[in-house]
Amino acid sequence: MFDHILREIIPLTPGDCFTIFTRVKKDFDFPLHSHEEIELNFISKGKGARRIVGDHIGVIGDLELVMVGPNLPHVWDTYQCKSKEITEITIQFHKDFLDEKFLRRNQMSFMQKMLELSSRGILFSQEATKAILPRLNALGQKQGFDSVLELLSLLHDLSTSRNMQTLSDSSPSAEHPSSYNSRRIEKVIEYINSNFHRNITLNDAARLVNMADMSFSRFFKTRTGITFMDTLLECRIGNASRLLIDTTQSISEIAYNCGFNNISNFNRLFKKRKGCTPKKFREDYNFYGNRKFI
């Protein structure tokens, strides 16, 4: 997936904890790209610009803050933005900035969950963005250990903020289920990823882990935050998005290959999730992915 996407080498060195840079510009001119580092990107005065994160495409408002995980393709494009003073603050840090064992400590659970979700891209709420902005502006003035402590504090506050939204239905590591501290959940996620093209029911998943349907339904939502059926739908839409990007299969073929029993249902659910039809999604993504920048 995403073979045509530019692999960016960012200026963060192995010896640095993070890098931050601020710029004011007239437009967005960098192509669709990815990198191994995690990125926190703040944009103001960018209303009407378009963002692509993974298989998500959306138009932005005046103010936004997005976290992009490792190897996740992303780009912001000028699109309908009329501003000539777009302000961007970008923080990039290594994916092992925080040790995996450290993140498993009880006090780090929110941070761990946020970093896991970043593999699909996270859009933070307007309230969280406005609250964090003064500290984000001041971070570039801090140095040494104080700057690292402040970044950790910022990340923690974002991880506990409300109404964060995941953007992409798929991620570069989608085939590897996240750690839910439950082998039963991981077993079900693996089952979904391997069988999404088939007719899967809640009962199938419940029997897989030897639980009654209602008990399993409550257990799954408590552990993952969403229902089993919504998880299955996300997996199907995510894989359909991959096929729309990477193949020339017809939309009907993609619908049936991803477990949708009719094309009308697929179009309706896809548009509800993505905000556009599968045909428009394919056209838009090909436009951004195939442009040449000179």
Side-chain angles (χ1 to χ4, degrees), residues 4 43 87 164 193:
H4 59 282
I43 298 171
T87 300
M164 64 177 73
N193 287 335

Side-chain angles (χ1 to χ4, degrees), residues 153-212:
S153 179
L154 286 171
L155 292 175
H156 175 266
D157 289 351
L158 286 174
S159 74
T160 59
S161 66
R162 294 186 176 186
N163 301 320
M164 64 177 73
Q165 175 190 347
T166 52
L167 296 174
S168 178
D169 284 310
S170 62
S171 71
S173 58
E175 65 272 18
H176 303 296
S178 300
S179 174
Y180 295 102
N181 294 320
S182 169
R183 179 55 193 156
R184 284 181 291 184
I185 294 295
E186 291 182 358
K187 188 174 183 179
V188 171
I189 297 296
E190 289 171 355
Y191 177 73
I192 290 173
N193 287 335
S194 299
N195 297 278
F196 63 88
H197 55 289
R198 297 174 178 164
N199 181 27
I200 299 176
T201 67
L202 176 70
N203 180 255
D204 293 332
R207 283 191 298 152
L208 186 69
V209 292
N210 298 314
M211 295 180 70

Side-chain angles (χ1 to χ4, degrees), residues 221-237:
K221 186 172 183 180
T222 298
R223 287 302 183 100
T224 66
I226 61 175
T227 67
F228 168 78
M229 295 308 297
D230 282 342
T231 301
L232 176 59
L233 178 61
E234 281 190 357
C235 181
R236 285 173 169 164
I237 294 291

Side-chain angles (χ1 to χ4, degrees), residues 245-276:
I245 293 168
D246 283 346
T247 76
T248 58
Q249 289 181 27
S250 70
I251 292 173
S252 294
E253 286 177 309
I254 290 172
Y256 289 112
N257 288 339
C258 291
F260 295 94
N261 53 17
N262 66 73
I263 187 66
S264 297
N265 190 43
F266 172 59
N267 284 330
R268 179 180 62 81
L269 291 172
F270 191 96
K271 186 173 182 179
K272 182 178 180 181
R273 178 73 190 182
K274 295 293 187 185
C276 65

Side-chain angles (χ1 to χ4, degrees), residues 43-241:
I43 298 171
S44 65
K45 299 180 182 177
K47 184 178 181 179
R50 182 177 284 183
R51 94 170 76 79
I52 290 181
V53 178
D55 60 29
H56 158 88
I57 302 175
V59 178
I60 75 173
D62 278 325
L63 200 73
E64 81 161 16
L65 183 64
V66 170
M67 179 175 284
V68 179
N71 304 313
L72 183 63
H74 58 284
V75 70
W76 276 259
D77 182 83
T78 304
Y79 191 49
Q80 298 175 346
C81 180
K82 300 294 192 290
S83 173
K84 298 303 179 184
E85 295 183 343
I86 303 167
T87 300
E88 194 170 29
I89 302 175
T90 302
I91 299 172
Q92 294 170 329
F93 54 94
H94 299 288
K95 60 184 179 181
D96 61 353
F97 173 58
L98 295 172
D99 181 76
E100 186 177 341
K101 290 183 179 179
F102 179 59
L103 284 172
R104 288 203 293 266
R105 302 291 191 266
N106 292 334
Q107 293 84 351
M108 301 298 292
S109 60
F110 288 102
M111 188 93 79
Q112 181 190 33
K113 182 64 174 177
M114 179 181 72
L115 294 178
E116 288 177 351
L117 289 175
S118 76
S119 68
R120 294 167 55 191
I122 301 171
L123 173 65
F124 294 98
S125 70
Q126 290 286 295
E127 293 75 17
T129 301
K130 290 175 182 177
I132 218 78
L133 183 54
R135 296 166 62 196
L136 199 59
N137 283 321
L139 181 60
Q141 308 304 315
K142 294 184 178 292
Q143 297 181 351
F145 190 58
D146 287 341
S147 68
V148 177
L149 285 178
E150 180 62 6
L151 176 60
L152 286 172
S153 179
L154 286 171
L155 292 175
H156 175 266
D157 289 351
L158 286 174
S159 74
T160 59
S161 66
R162 294 186 176 186
N163 301 320
M164 64 177 73
Q165 175 190 347
T166 52
L167 296 174
S168 178
D169 284 310
S170 62
S171 71
S173 58
E175 65 272 18
H176 303 296
S178 300
S179 174
Y180 295 102
N181 294 320
S182 169
R183 179 55 193 156
R184 284 181 291 184
I185 294 295
E186 291 182 358
K187 188 174 183 179
V188 171
I189 297 296
E190 289 171 355
Y191 177 73
I192 290 173
N193 287 335
S194 299
N195 297 278
F196 63 88
H197 55 289
R198 297 174 178 164
N199 181 27
I200 299 176
T201 67
L202 176 70
N203 180 255
D204 293 332
R207 283 191 298 152
L208 186 69
V209 292
N210 298 314
M211 295 180 70
D213 289 6
M214 290 303 296
S215 297
F216 169 74
S217 180
R218 289 192 297 268
F219 172 74
F220 190 92
K221 186 172 183 180
T222 298
R223 287 302 183 100
T224 66
I226 61 175
T227 67
F228 168 78
M229 295 308 297
D230 282 342
T231 301
L232 176 59
L233 178 61
E234 281 190 357
C235 181
R236 285 173 169 164
I237 294 291
N239 279 278
S241 300

